Amino acid sequence: MRPALVTQRLVREANDEERDCLDVRWTPFLARVGLCVVPAPSAADPVVLMDLLRPAALVLSGGNDLD
């Protein structure tokens, strides 16, 4: 399988903790086309990740508003 870098959404918990989240349906969906999900941490530099991992795909899965 080829790697697919997949963005995640940021969720703030009640205790003010922030988490990256990715819908579990992405893994089987991308596997059907021969891709393996590599979650992209929201705090990471996407240019660096693309350069290091050289993924076969970049999936912008949606996420938080830019406010």
Side-chain angles (χ1 to χ4, degrees):
M1 286 192 158
R2 298 166 301 162
L5 192 60
V6 182
T7 62
Q8 302 178 79
R9 67 184 168 93
L10 194 59
V11 174
R12 184 171 300 228
E13 300 291 331
N15 63 356
D16 210 31
E17 182 176 278
E18 292 183 331
R19 298 176 184 264
D20 285 326
C21 295
L22 182 63
D23 191 311
V24 297
R25 295 174 287 184
W26 278 108
T27 300
F29 175 76
L30 292 172
R32 287 195 297 272
V33 294
L35 296 171
C36 176
V37 170
V38 178
S42 60
D45 183 336
V47 174
V48 172
L49 288 177
M50 293 292 288
D51 190 45
L52 288 173
L53 299 174
R54 301 281 183 198
L58 171 63
V59 178
L60 304 175
S61 67
N64 307 73
D65 291 336
L66 300 175
D67 55 348

